[in-house]
Amino acid sequence: MVPRKPFAAVSFNLVPGVGEYFVFPALTTTGPCEIMVFEGVPGGPMDCWSDVHTPEEHLAKSKWILDTFIPLEGERCRDIELTDDKGILAGRFPPIVRKPICKLPSGGLALGMGDVVAANDPITGQGANTASQAASIYLQRILERGNKPFDAQWMHQTFDLFWDYAQWVVKWTNSLLVPSAPQILQLMGAASQIPLLARKIANGFNNPPDYSPWWFDQAQADNVIKQMVGTTA
């Protein structure tokens, strides 16, 4: 793929009614590469992978999508090849939040974590982040528990502490799966002109609770933009 200028970075394109496209630098066994991620709106024109069966068809479909909907990115991909025949993956799943406790056949209880209890769409790249948060919270709770029983009440309380963080991951991620609310479009447009706002949005990927409440509320979004107008990063 033609290198991104002036430096390598994640590139993101959103096409309303069609879907999203990410491309980002990575490293494989044969050296540097670019990973392409397509996320099509269900039933939309990018939801077109059911008849794709071979690596060659997968690559051809990828290039067709770019040429049809994101031609500037398509220009970077005129001469691309797959790193190997297994460098492809296609599928779908619904984002879901599950009850955190499972009763085993033995009668014992298991406390879920990570994608088991909060599976988000990968559009915001929060899978490993959320699982790491859960692991940290669960570990602290286990150490604090000592010799007391790890019963259902303790499990629910532990999950609730995790949910204080994860609920914002879920809400923020889901906000990018539906037609964008007016304030989100306003924020994204303003970020292209206000570096400090662009940095605030980007840094939210590291801690999604930081998006509350200004990402979800028009009045709060207006206030954030007003505060940052004329401010240099």
Side-chain angles (χ1 to χ4, degrees):
M1 190 179 296
V2 176
R4 180 187 180 277
K5 300 295 183 180
F7 49 81
V10 175
S11 178
F12 169 66
N13 289 266
L14 187 154
V15 184
V18 176
E20 297 89 28
Y21 168 69
F22 296 84
V23 61
F24 50 92
L27 188 65
T28 187
T29 55
T30 54
C33 68
E34 299 273 353
I35 294 179
M36 307 163 72
V37 180
F38 300 90
E39 294 197 327
V41 174
M46 197 186 287
D47 184 9
C48 57
W49 301 91
S50 60
D51 61 345
V52 173
H53 304 292
T54 68
E56 293 76 18
E57 290 174 347
H58 200 109
L59 181 60
K61 183 68 74 172
S62 299
K63 296 176 73 172
W64 174 82
I65 291 173
L66 294 180
D67 287 340
T68 304
F69 302 107
I70 317 170
L72 288 178
E73 291 287 354
E75 289 293 330
R76 297 178 60 194
C77 300
R78 289 286 172 259
D79 301 314
I80 62 172
E81 297 178 359
L82 292 174
T83 58
D84 60 84
D85 286 346
K86 295 186 182 298
I88 59 172
L89 179 67
R92 65 178 72 218
F93 71 93
I96 190 170
V97 177
R98 296 182 173 92
K99 295 180 179 180
I101 299 176
C102 173
K103 189 171 184 178
L104 304 175
S106 66
L109 301 178
L111 174 60
M113 65 181 296
D115 285 349
V116 171
V117 291
N120 290 284
D121 190 281
I123 187 172
T124 55
Q126 293 298 309
N129 293 350
T130 305
S132 296
Q133 284 284 346
S136 178
I137 292 169
Y138 287 15
L139 173 60
Q140 186 61 37
R141 288 278 293 171
I142 289 169
L143 295 176
E144 292 172 350
R145 191 64 171 171
N147 294 324
K148 297 179 182 178
F150 298 98
D151 53 18
Q153 181 180 11
W154 176 88
M155 291 182 177
H156 276 296
Q157 292 171 346
T158 298
F159 178 80
D160 287 345
L161 289 174
F162 163 67
W163 185 244
D164 286 342
Y165 170 88
Q167 63 177 310
W168 299 110
V169 177
V170 172
K171 189 173 182 181
W172 170 53
T173 302
N174 288 346
S175 76
L176 298 179
L177 296 178
V178 297
S180 298
Q183 79 276 2
I184 294 177
L185 295 176
Q186 181 183 4
L187 286 164
M188 297 294 283
S192 67
Q193 304 297 320
I194 307 173
L196 195 61
L197 177 58
R199 179 174 296 178
K200 184 177 180 69
I201 292 173
N203 286 344
F205 279 77
N206 186 55
N207 187 42
D210 288 345
Y211 285 110
S212 172
W214 56 273
W215 185 262
F216 308 100
D217 181 82
Q218 182 67 65
Q220 293 288 340
D222 290 340
N223 289 335
V224 167
I225 294 172
K226 289 178 181 177
Q227 291 171 6
M228 294 187 176
V229 169
T231 304
T232 57

